[in-house]
mmCIF file of all heavy atoms in Angstrom:
data_model
loop_
_atom_site.group_PDB
_atom_site.id
_atom_site.type_symbol
_atom_site.label_atom_id
_atom_site.label_comp_id
_atom_site.label_asym_id
_atom_site.label_seq_id
_atom_site.Cartn_x
_atom_site.Cartn_y
_atom_site.Cartn_z
ATOM 1 N N GLY A 1 21.004 -4.382 -6.417
ATOM 2 C CA GLY A 1 20.199 -4.568 -7.621
ATOM 3 C C GLY A 1 19.931 -3.296 -8.393
ATOM 4 O O GLY A 1 19.376 -3.356 -9.489
ATOM 5 N N LEU A 2 20.310 -2.135 -7.833
ATOM 6 C CA LEU A 2 20.066 -0.880 -8.532
ATOM 7 C C LEU A 2 21.247 -0.528 -9.431
ATOM 8 O O LEU A 2 22.401 -0.661 -9.030
ATOM 9 C CB LEU A 2 19.845 0.261 -7.538
ATOM 10 C CG LEU A 2 18.555 0.264 -6.719
ATOM 11 C CD1 LEU A 2 18.463 1.549 -5.909
ATOM 12 C CD2 LEU A 2 17.325 0.087 -7.584
ATOM 13 N N ASP A 3 20.947 -0.050 -10.629
ATOM 14 C CA ASP A 3 22.009 0.450 -11.493
ATOM 15 C C ASP A 3 22.417 1.845 -11.007
ATOM 16 O O ASP A 3 21.726 2.460 -10.195
ATOM 17 C CB ASP A 3 21.532 0.485 -12.950
ATOM 18 C CG ASP A 3 20.282 1.329 -13.145
ATOM 19 O OD1 ASP A 3 20.341 2.553 -12.881
ATOM 20 O OD2 ASP A 3 19.242 0.781 -13.534
ATOM 21 N N PRO A 4 23.563 2.353 -11.471
ATOM 22 C CA PRO A 4 24.045 3.652 -10.982
ATOM 23 C C PRO A 4 23.053 4.797 -11.166
ATOM 24 O O PRO A 4 22.943 5.674 -10.308
ATOM 25 C CB PRO A 4 25.320 3.881 -11.814
ATOM 26 C CG PRO A 4 25.793 2.502 -12.140
ATOM 27 C CD PRO A 4 24.552 1.691 -12.351
ATOM 28 N N LYS A 5 22.332 4.786 -12.279
ATOM 29 C CA LYS A 5 21.372 5.858 -12.532
ATOM 30 C C LYS A 5 20.238 5.826 -11.516
ATOM 31 O O LYS A 5 19.839 6.872 -10.970
ATOM 32 C CB LYS A 5 20.806 5.724 -13.954
ATOM 33 C CG LYS A 5 20.049 6.947 -14.434
ATOM 34 C CD LYS A 5 19.752 6.839 -15.925
ATOM 35 C CE LYS A 5 19.097 8.110 -16.434
ATOM 36 N NZ LYS A 5 18.850 8.055 -17.900
ATOM 37 N N ALA A 6 19.713 4.638 -11.236
ATOM 38 C CA ALA A 6 18.628 4.514 -10.259
ATOM 39 C C ALA A 6 19.122 4.853 -8.853
ATOM 40 O O ALA A 6 18.390 5.449 -8.055
ATOM 41 C CB ALA A 6 18.064 3.095 -10.289
ATOM 42 N N THR A 7 20.370 4.478 -8.557
ATOM 43 C CA THR A 7 20.949 4.814 -7.259
ATOM 44 C C THR A 7 21.006 6.325 -7.079
ATOM 45 O O THR A 7 20.647 6.853 -6.011
ATOM 46 C CB THR A 7 22.370 4.228 -7.141
ATOM 47 O OG1 THR A 7 22.285 2.796 -7.175
ATOM 48 C CG2 THR A 7 23.030 4.658 -5.837
ATOM 49 N N LYS A 8 21.446 7.035 -8.118
ATOM 50 C CA LYS A 8 21.517 8.494 -8.039
ATOM 51 C C LYS A 8 20.131 9.096 -7.833
ATOM 52 O O LYS A 8 19.963 10.028 -7.028
ATOM 53 C CB LYS A 8 22.155 9.050 -9.312
ATOM 54 C CG LYS A 8 22.329 10.559 -9.294
ATOM 55 C CD LYS A 8 23.034 11.056 -10.556
ATOM 56 C CE LYS A 8 23.210 12.572 -10.514
ATOM 57 N NZ LYS A 8 23.893 13.072 -11.739
ATOM 58 N N LYS A 9 19.133 8.580 -8.533
ATOM 59 C CA LYS A 9 17.769 9.092 -8.385
ATOM 60 C C LYS A 9 17.251 8.848 -6.972
ATOM 61 O O LYS A 9 16.617 9.721 -6.364
ATOM 62 C CB LYS A 9 16.845 8.430 -9.403
ATOM 63 C CG LYS A 9 17.142 8.805 -10.851
ATOM 64 C CD LYS A 9 16.936 10.284 -11.097
ATOM 65 C CE LYS A 9 17.159 10.626 -12.568
ATOM 66 N NZ LYS A 9 17.036 12.096 -12.810
ATOM 67 N N LEU A 10 17.530 7.666 -6.419
ATOM 68 C CA LEU A 10 17.097 7.376 -5.055
ATOM 69 C C LEU A 10 17.721 8.366 -4.082
ATOM 70 O O LEU A 10 17.033 8.908 -3.197
ATOM 71 C CB LEU A 10 17.479 5.949 -4.675
ATOM 72 C CG LEU A 10 17.279 5.574 -3.197
ATOM 73 C CD1 LEU A 10 15.822 5.731 -2.790
ATOM 74 C CD2 LEU A 10 17.772 4.164 -2.942
ATOM 75 N N LEU A 11 19.018 8.613 -4.215
ATOM 76 C CA LEU A 11 19.699 9.537 -3.315
ATOM 77 C C LEU A 11 19.119 10.946 -3.431
ATOM 78 O O LEU A 11 18.988 11.655 -2.422
ATOM 79 C CB LEU A 11 21.197 9.546 -3.616
ATOM 80 C CG LEU A 11 21.934 8.242 -3.333
ATOM 81 C CD1 LEU A 11 23.401 8.361 -3.733
ATOM 82 C CD2 LEU A 11 21.814 7.839 -1.876
ATOM 83 N N GLN A 12 18.750 11.347 -4.631
ATOM 84 C CA GLN A 12 18.142 12.664 -4.818
ATOM 85 C C GLN A 12 16.799 12.756 -4.099
ATOM 86 O O GLN A 12 16.506 13.766 -3.438
ATOM 87 C CB GLN A 12 17.968 12.951 -6.310
ATOM 88 C CG GLN A 12 19.276 13.200 -7.038
ATOM 89 C CD GLN A 12 19.113 13.303 -8.545
ATOM 90 O OE1 GLN A 12 18.094 12.865 -9.110
ATOM 91 N NE2 GLN A 12 20.102 13.878 -9.213
ATOM 92 N N PHE A 13 15.997 11.701 -4.199
ATOM 93 C CA PHE A 13 14.696 11.722 -3.536
ATOM 94 C C PHE A 13 14.837 11.642 -2.020
ATOM 95 O O PHE A 13 14.056 12.253 -1.285
ATOM 96 C CB PHE A 13 13.810 10.594 -4.063
ATOM 97 C CG PHE A 13 13.088 10.944 -5.332
ATOM 98 C CD1 PHE A 13 13.516 10.455 -6.550
ATOM 99 C CD2 PHE A 13 11.989 11.776 -5.302
ATOM 100 C CE1 PHE A 13 12.863 10.787 -7.725
ATOM 101 C CE2 PHE A 13 11.313 12.125 -6.474
ATOM 102 C CZ PHE A 13 11.751 11.629 -7.685
ATOM 103 N N LEU A 14 15.824 10.905 -1.530
ATOM 104 C CA LEU A 14 16.051 10.864 -0.078
ATOM 105 C C LEU A 14 16.442 12.241 0.438
ATOM 106 O O LEU A 14 16.035 12.636 1.544
ATOM 107 C CB LEU A 14 17.133 9.834 0.257
ATOM 108 C CG LEU A 14 16.762 8.367 0.048
ATOM 109 C CD1 LEU A 14 17.917 7.460 0.468
ATOM 110 C CD2 LEU A 14 15.500 7.989 0.810
ATOM 111 N N GLU A 15 17.213 12.975 -0.336
ATOM 112 C CA GLU A 15 17.578 14.342 0.062
ATOM 113 C C GLU A 15 16.336 15.231 0.113
ATOM 114 O O GLU A 15 16.184 16.058 1.033
ATOM 115 C CB GLU A 15 18.602 14.915 -0.918
ATOM 116 C CG GLU A 15 19.153 16.262 -0.526
ATOM 117 C CD GLU A 15 19.891 16.255 0.804
ATOM 118 O OE1 GLU A 15 20.510 15.219 1.143
ATOM 119 O OE2 GLU A 15 19.841 17.293 1.517
ATOM 120 N N ILE A 16 15.443 15.063 -0.836
ATOM 121 C CA ILE A 16 14.187 15.825 -0.835
ATOM 122 C C ILE A 16 13.368 15.488 0.409
ATOM 123 O O ILE A 16 12.796 16.376 1.066
ATOM 124 C CB ILE A 16 13.380 15.529 -2.114
ATOM 125 C CG1 ILE A 16 14.094 16.119 -3.336
ATOM 126 C CG2 ILE A 16 11.960 16.086 -2.007
ATOM 127 C CD1 ILE A 16 13.501 15.689 -4.662
ATOM 128 N N GLU A 17 13.313 14.202 0.756
ATOM 129 C CA GLU A 17 12.550 13.788 1.934
ATOM 130 C C GLU A 17 13.186 14.332 3.217
ATOM 131 O O GLU A 17 12.488 14.719 4.153
ATOM 132 C CB GLU A 17 12.441 12.267 1.986
ATOM 133 C CG GLU A 17 11.549 11.677 0.910
ATOM 134 C CD GLU A 17 10.142 12.245 0.978
ATOM 135 O OE1 GLU A 17 9.379 11.852 1.875
ATOM 136 O OE2 GLU A 17 9.801 13.112 0.145
ATOM 137 N N LYS A 18 14.507 14.379 3.273
ATOM 138 C CA LYS A 18 15.189 14.990 4.420
ATOM 139 C C LYS A 18 14.806 16.464 4.542
ATOM 140 O O LYS A 18 14.519 16.952 5.641
ATOM 141 C CB LYS A 18 16.703 14.864 4.271
ATOM 142 C CG LYS A 18 17.266 13.503 4.594
ATOM 143 C CD LYS A 18 18.782 13.490 4.423
ATOM 144 C CE LYS A 18 19.460 14.503 5.325
ATOM 145 N NZ LYS A 18 20.925 14.514 5.159
ATOM 146 N N GLU A 19 14.806 17.173 3.432
ATOM 147 C CA GLU A 19 14.449 18.588 3.443
ATOM 148 C C GLU A 19 13.002 18.785 3.889
ATOM 149 O O GLU A 19 12.667 19.810 4.499
ATOM 150 C CB GLU A 19 14.669 19.192 2.057
ATOM 151 C CG GLU A 19 16.148 19.259 1.650
ATOM 152 C CD GLU A 19 16.341 19.725 0.226
ATOM 153 O OE1 GLU A 19 15.318 19.961 -0.464
ATOM 154 O OE2 GLU A 19 17.507 19.832 -0.212
ATOM 155 N N ARG A 20 12.158 17.795 3.610
ATOM 156 C CA ARG A 20 10.757 17.847 4.057
ATOM 157 C C ARG A 20 10.642 17.623 5.558
ATOM 158 O O ARG A 20 9.622 17.954 6.165
ATOM 159 C CB ARG A 20 9.952 16.788 3.291
ATOM 160 C CG ARG A 20 8.457 16.821 3.526
ATOM 161 C CD ARG A 20 7.729 15.828 2.638
ATOM 162 N NE ARG A 20 8.140 14.459 2.899
ATOM 163 C CZ ARG A 20 7.663 13.700 3.888
ATOM 164 N NH1 ARG A 20 6.750 14.179 4.716
ATOM 165 N NH2 ARG A 20 8.085 12.461 4.044
ATOM 166 N N GLY A 21 11.710 17.080 6.166
ATOM 167 C CA GLY A 21 11.698 16.845 7.602
ATOM 168 C C GLY A 21 11.623 15.390 7.985
ATOM 169 O O GLY A 21 11.541 15.060 9.179
ATOM 170 N N ALA A 22 11.659 14.492 6.989
ATOM 171 C CA ALA A 22 11.608 13.065 7.301
ATOM 172 C C ALA A 22 12.954 12.600 7.855
ATOM 173 O O ALA A 22 14.010 13.130 7.505
ATOM 174 C CB ALA A 22 11.256 12.260 6.051
ATOM 175 N N GLY A 23 12.916 11.596 8.719
ATOM 176 C CA GLY A 23 14.125 10.936 9.186
ATOM 177 C C GLY A 23 14.327 9.645 8.415
ATOM 178 O O GLY A 23 13.357 9.038 7.946
ATOM 179 N N ILE A 24 15.592 9.242 8.283
ATOM 180 C CA ILE A 24 15.909 8.043 7.506
ATOM 181 C C ILE A 24 16.919 7.203 8.273
ATOM 182 O O ILE A 24 17.963 7.704 8.695
ATOM 183 C CB ILE A 24 16.502 8.404 6.124
ATOM 184 C CG1 ILE A 24 15.543 9.306 5.343
ATOM 185 C CG2 ILE A 24 16.818 7.143 5.328
ATOM 186 C CD1 ILE A 24 16.179 9.982 4.136
ATOM 187 N N LEU A 25 16.594 5.921 8.458
ATOM 188 C CA LEU A 25 17.545 4.937 8.975
ATOM 189 C C LEU A 25 17.840 3.987 7.832
ATOM 190 O O LEU A 25 16.944 3.322 7.313
ATOM 191 C CB LEU A 25 16.959 4.172 10.162
ATOM 192 C CG LEU A 25 17.841 3.041 10.705
ATOM 193 C CD1 LEU A 25 19.130 3.590 11.300
ATOM 194 C CD2 LEU A 25 17.085 2.204 11.741
ATOM 195 N N MET A 26 19.105 3.912 7.432
ATOM 196 C CA MET A 26 19.474 3.124 6.261
ATOM 197 C C MET A 26 20.617 2.176 6.582
ATOM 198 O O MET A 26 21.705 2.596 6.957
ATOM 199 C CB MET A 26 19.904 4.045 5.110
ATOM 200 C CG MET A 26 20.240 3.305 3.826
ATOM 201 S SD MET A 26 20.740 4.433 2.493
ATOM 202 C CE MET A 26 22.330 4.989 3.123
ATOM 203 N N SER A 27 20.353 0.880 6.416
ATOM 204 C CA SER A 27 21.393 -0.128 6.537
ATOM 205 C C SER A 27 22.065 -0.285 5.183
ATOM 206 O O SER A 27 21.397 -0.413 4.158
ATOM 207 C CB SER A 27 20.783 -1.467 6.970
ATOM 208 O OG SER A 27 21.717 -2.522 6.832
ATOM 209 N N THR A 28 23.403 -0.277 5.166
ATOM 210 C CA THR A 28 24.098 -0.412 3.888
ATOM 211 C C THR A 28 25.515 -0.928 4.075
ATOM 212 O O THR A 28 26.154 -0.696 5.093
ATOM 213 C CB THR A 28 24.144 0.935 3.129
ATOM 214 O OG1 THR A 28 24.805 0.743 1.871
ATOM 215 C CG2 THR A 28 24.876 1.992 3.926
ATOM 216 N N HIS A 29 25.985 -1.656 3.036
ATOM 217 C CA HIS A 29 27.380 -2.069 2.953
ATOM 218 C C HIS A 29 28.199 -1.109 2.087
ATOM 219 O O HIS A 29 29.424 -1.219 2.028
ATOM 220 C CB HIS A 29 27.487 -3.468 2.322
ATOM 221 C CG HIS A 29 27.150 -4.581 3.269
ATOM 222 N ND1 HIS A 29 26.025 -5.351 3.121
ATOM 223 C CD2 HIS A 29 27.791 -5.032 4.381
ATOM 224 C CE1 HIS A 29 25.986 -6.255 4.099
ATOM 225 N NE2 HIS A 29 27.044 -6.075 4.869
ATOM 226 N N VAL A 30 27.527 -0.201 1.417
ATOM 227 C CA VAL A 30 28.201 0.688 0.468
ATOM 228 C C VAL A 30 28.737 1.886 1.249
ATOM 229 O O VAL A 30 28.117 2.958 1.312
ATOM 230 C CB VAL A 30 27.253 1.124 -0.660
ATOM 231 C CG1 VAL A 30 28.021 1.894 -1.733
ATOM 232 C CG2 VAL A 30 26.551 -0.081 -1.277
ATOM 233 N N LEU A 31 29.916 1.714 1.839
ATOM 234 C CA LEU A 31 30.419 2.696 2.791
ATOM 235 C C LEU A 31 30.886 3.985 2.136
ATOM 236 O O LEU A 31 30.824 5.052 2.757
ATOM 237 C CB LEU A 31 31.543 2.089 3.623
ATOM 238 C CG LEU A 31 31.145 0.880 4.498
ATOM 239 C CD1 LEU A 31 32.307 0.490 5.405
ATOM 240 C CD2 LEU A 31 29.903 1.184 5.332
ATOM 241 N N ASP A 32 31.354 3.927 0.897
ATOM 242 C CA ASP A 32 31.780 5.166 0.250
ATOM 243 C C ASP A 32 30.587 6.082 0.010
ATOM 244 O O ASP A 32 30.680 7.305 0.180
ATOM 245 C CB ASP A 32 32.531 4.880 -1.045
ATOM 246 C CG ASP A 32 31.751 4.030 -2.028
ATOM 247 O OD1 ASP A 32 30.743 3.410 -1.625
ATOM 248 O OD2 ASP A 32 32.141 3.983 -3.211
ATOM 249 N N THR A 33 29.454 5.497 -0.358
ATOM 250 C CA THR A 33 28.235 6.286 -0.514
ATOM 251 C C THR A 33 27.714 6.749 0.844
ATOM 252 O O THR A 33 27.317 7.901 1.001
ATOM 253 C CB THR A 33 27.149 5.470 -1.237
ATOM 254 O OG1 THR A 33 27.607 5.118 -2.545
ATOM 255 C CG2 THR A 33 25.862 6.275 -1.368
ATOM 256 N N ALA A 34 27.734 5.858 1.829
ATOM 257 C CA ALA A 34 27.259 6.210 3.170
ATOM 258 C C ALA A 34 28.033 7.394 3.737
ATOM 259 O O ALA A 34 27.451 8.287 4.367
ATOM 260 C CB ALA A 34 27.375 5.007 4.095
ATOM 261 N N GLU A 35 29.335 7.412 3.514
ATOM 262 C CA GLU A 35 30.154 8.511 4.033
ATOM 263 C C GLU A 35 29.705 9.851 3.465
ATOM 264 O O GLU A 35 29.740 10.875 4.161
ATOM 265 C CB GLU A 35 31.628 8.264 3.704
ATOM 266 C CG GLU A 35 32.551 9.358 4.203
ATOM 267 C CD GLU A 35 34.021 9.062 3.990
ATOM 268 O OE1 GLU A 35 34.363 7.890 3.707
ATOM 269 O OE2 GLU A 35 34.834 9.997 4.110
ATOM 270 N N LYS A 36 29.263 9.857 2.210
ATOM 271 C CA LYS A 36 28.871 11.100 1.549
ATOM 272 C C LYS A 36 27.499 11.586 1.984
ATOM 273 O O LYS A 36 27.255 12.794 2.008
ATOM 274 C CB LYS A 36 28.886 10.904 0.034
ATOM 275 C CG LYS A 36 30.262 10.625 -0.549
ATOM 276 C CD LYS A 36 30.173 10.330 -2.037
ATOM 277 C CE LYS A 36 31.530 9.968 -2.622
ATOM 278 N NZ LYS A 36 31.436 9.606 -4.056
ATOM 279 N N ILE A 37 26.597 10.666 2.319
ATOM 280 C CA ILE A 37 25.201 11.084 2.502
ATOM 281 C C ILE A 37 24.697 11.006 3.938
ATOM 282 O O ILE A 37 23.701 11.652 4.269
ATOM 283 C CB ILE A 37 24.259 10.252 1.598
ATOM 284 C CG1 ILE A 37 24.250 8.788 2.042
ATOM 285 C CG2 ILE A 37 24.651 10.390 0.135
ATOM 286 C CD1 ILE A 37 23.203 7.956 1.326
ATOM 287 N N CYS A 38 25.363 10.250 4.801
ATOM 288 C CA CYS A 38 24.843 10.048 6.156
ATOM 289 C C CYS A 38 25.304 11.156 7.098
ATOM 290 O O CYS A 38 26.448 11.612 7.037
ATOM 291 C CB CYS A 38 25.284 8.695 6.715
ATOM 292 S SG CYS A 38 24.554 7.283 5.857
ATOM 293 N N ASP A 39 24.412 11.559 7.976
ATOM 294 C CA ASP A 39 24.744 12.552 8.986
ATOM 295 C C ASP A 39 25.434 11.908 10.188
ATOM 296 O O ASP A 39 26.315 12.515 10.795
ATOM 297 C CB ASP A 39 23.470 13.265 9.452
ATOM 298 C CG ASP A 39 22.765 13.963 8.297
ATOM 299 O OD1 ASP A 39 23.350 14.904 7.737
ATOM 300 O OD2 ASP A 39 21.640 13.553 7.954
ATOM 301 N N ARG A 40 25.008 10.716 10.520
ATOM 302 C CA ARG A 40 25.607 9.968 11.627
ATOM 303 C C ARG A 40 25.603 8.484 11.272
ATOM 304 O O ARG A 40 24.958 8.059 10.315
ATOM 305 C CB ARG A 40 24.822 10.172 12.934
ATOM 306 C CG ARG A 40 24.971 11.541 13.542
ATOM 307 C CD ARG A 40 24.368 11.646 14.929
ATOM 308 N NE ARG A 40 22.924 11.426 14.905
ATOM 309 C CZ ARG A 40 22.313 10.344 15.395
ATOM 310 N NH1 ARG A 40 23.024 9.365 15.923
ATOM 311 N NH2 ARG A 40 21.003 10.235 15.331
ATOM 312 N N PHE A 41 26.309 7.709 12.095
ATOM 313 C CA PHE A 41 26.434 6.271 11.854
ATOM 314 C C PHE A 41 26.169 5.499 13.152
ATOM 315 O O PHE A 41 26.506 5.960 14.238
ATOM 316 C CB PHE A 41 27.834 5.925 11.334
ATOM 317 C CG PHE A 41 28.211 6.676 10.096
ATOM 318 C CD1 PHE A 41 28.902 7.881 10.180
ATOM 319 C CD2 PHE A 41 27.845 6.207 8.844
ATOM 320 C CE1 PHE A 41 29.236 8.599 9.041
ATOM 321 C CE2 PHE A 41 28.174 6.919 7.701
ATOM 322 C CZ PHE A 41 28.877 8.115 7.794
#
């Protein structure tokens, strides 16, 4: 349901939260994006 612009903004904020020390578990079918942003699977 997210448009590309909102998706990019979400990814930017998740990166900020990672830098803050938060952990993230994310279920997704979007494997091309997952490959770019996930540390493990």
Side-chain angles (χ1 to χ4, degrees):
L2 290 186
D3 57 62
K5 193 169 185 178
T7 296
K8 183 177 181 180
K9 293 297 183 183
L10 171 60
L11 294 177
Q12 289 172 342
F13 276 103
L14 291 182
E15 186 61 32
I16 291 171
E17 290 302 285
K18 283 180 59 181
E19 293 174 358
R20 187 175 62 82
I24 303 166
L25 175 65
M26 183 180 70
S27 168
T28 181
H29 282 112
V30 188
L31 298 187
D32 56 345
T33 298
E35 180 175 345
K36 295 175 183 177
I37 66 172
C38 293
D39 300 295
R40 289 189 297 109
F41 304 93

